[in-house]
Amino acid sequence: MRKLLFAFGLTSALVFALAAHAAAPNFAGTWTLDKSKSQGLSQRIQNAESVSWVITQTDKQITVEEKIQGGAPAAGGPGSGQGGGRGSMMGAPGPRSYNLDGTESTGDAGRGKFARKATLSSDGKTLELVNKNMFTNQDGNEITITSTDKLSLSADGKVLTVARHSESPRGPQDSTLVFNK
């Protein structure tokens, strides 16, 4: 009986430790871009008066909304600031939501479709957000744009660093965005 209770207690402790380890850090809040510490920014973001991310997060989902004040729109037409310029969010305008259980979410976005997936790193400190957009351009060609953001917080939780890698017909692009709370 003692062995059974010991085994049950040990198993419970391990399950609790794994569950605590698997929880994503809390990225929720309003974050303001620090251009002086960021690298590889698009011209639109460099010229913007301010750039902020509003992140909401629950146990099941994280939502990122980018807000850009001022600055010229990215190539692709008026108001298309989501169109794949370096440092801009990829995909349809508006908030992007990801399931924190690792399942992919899909849907329609303007002229195409999107697929989004969040993955927590094995050390539990970095959250990887993959946003894949597939659409048909004006010439009838199918285009895929993929953006991978790796979010990490400073020890005090006041600095959010986003290492971004994007792939588009323009080629691969990398940037680092540093935000302050």
Side-chain angles (χ1 to χ4, degrees), residues 100-118:
L100 290 174
D101 64 3
T103 60
E104 186 175 79
S105 59
T106 59
D108 293 324
R111 301 178 302 188
K113 297 182 183 276
F114 69 83
R116 298 179 182 138
K117 186 171 182 180

Side-chain angles (χ1 to χ4, degrees), residues 14 30 34 36 43 48 63 82 89 107 134 137 148 164 180:
L14 288 172
T30 299
D34 185 338
S36 68
Q43 187 174 2
T63 301
Q82 309 294 337
M89 296 291 267
M134 295 90 29
N137 68 9
T148 302
R164 172 172 291 158
N180 297 312

Side-chain angles (χ1 to χ4, degrees), residues 99-142:
N99 299 325
L100 290 174
D101 64 3
T103 60
E104 186 175 79
S105 59
T106 59
D108 293 324
R111 301 178 302 188
K113 297 182 183 276
F114 69 83
R116 298 179 182 138
K117 186 171 182 180
T119 307
L120 188 61
S121 64
S122 60
D123 65 3
K125 295 181 180 180
T126 303
L127 183 63
E128 181 178 272
L129 304 177
V130 177
N131 189 47
K132 185 176 184 179
N133 293 286
M134 295 90 29
F135 62 94
T136 303
N137 68 9
Q138 295 170 342
D139 299 330
N141 298 319
E142 290 191 24

Side-chain angles (χ1 to χ4, degrees), residues 9-156:
L10 182 61
T11 302
S12 297
L14 288 172
V15 167
F16 179 78
L18 286 173
H21 178 71
N26 189 351
F27 296 99
T30 299
W31 299 92
T32 303
L33 182 68
D34 185 338
K35 293 181 196 177
S36 68
K37 294 180 182 175
S38 300
Q39 300 174 348
L41 299 177
S42 70
Q43 187 174 2
R44 179 176 186 210
I45 289 180
Q46 288 173 355
N47 294 334
E49 294 170 24
S50 69
V51 177
S52 63
W53 279 14
V54 177
I55 300 177
T56 54
Q57 184 174 344
T58 66
D59 291 341
K60 296 180 180 185
Q61 192 173 61
I62 187 168
T63 301
V64 180
E65 181 176 9
E66 181 179 52
K67 296 182 178 184
I68 300 175
Q69 298 296 318
S80 69
Q82 309 294 337
R86 279 192 319 179
S88 67
M89 296 291 267
M90 303 276 180
R96 297 184 306 159
S97 296
Y98 301 84
N99 299 325
L100 290 174
D101 64 3
T103 60
E104 186 175 79
S105 59
T106 59
D108 293 324
R111 301 178 302 188
K113 297 182 183 276
F114 69 83
R116 298 179 182 138
K117 186 171 182 180
T119 307
L120 188 61
S121 64
S122 60
D123 65 3
K125 295 181 180 180
T126 303
L127 183 63
E128 181 178 272
L129 304 177
V130 177
N131 189 47
K132 185 176 184 179
N133 293 286
M134 295 90 29
F135 62 94
T136 303
N137 68 9
Q138 295 170 342
D139 299 330
N141 298 319
E142 290 191 24
I143 305 292
T144 299
I145 298 173
T146 304
S147 175
T148 302
D149 290 344
K150 294 183 180 181
L151 285 65
S152 59
L153 291 174
S154 61
D156 64 2

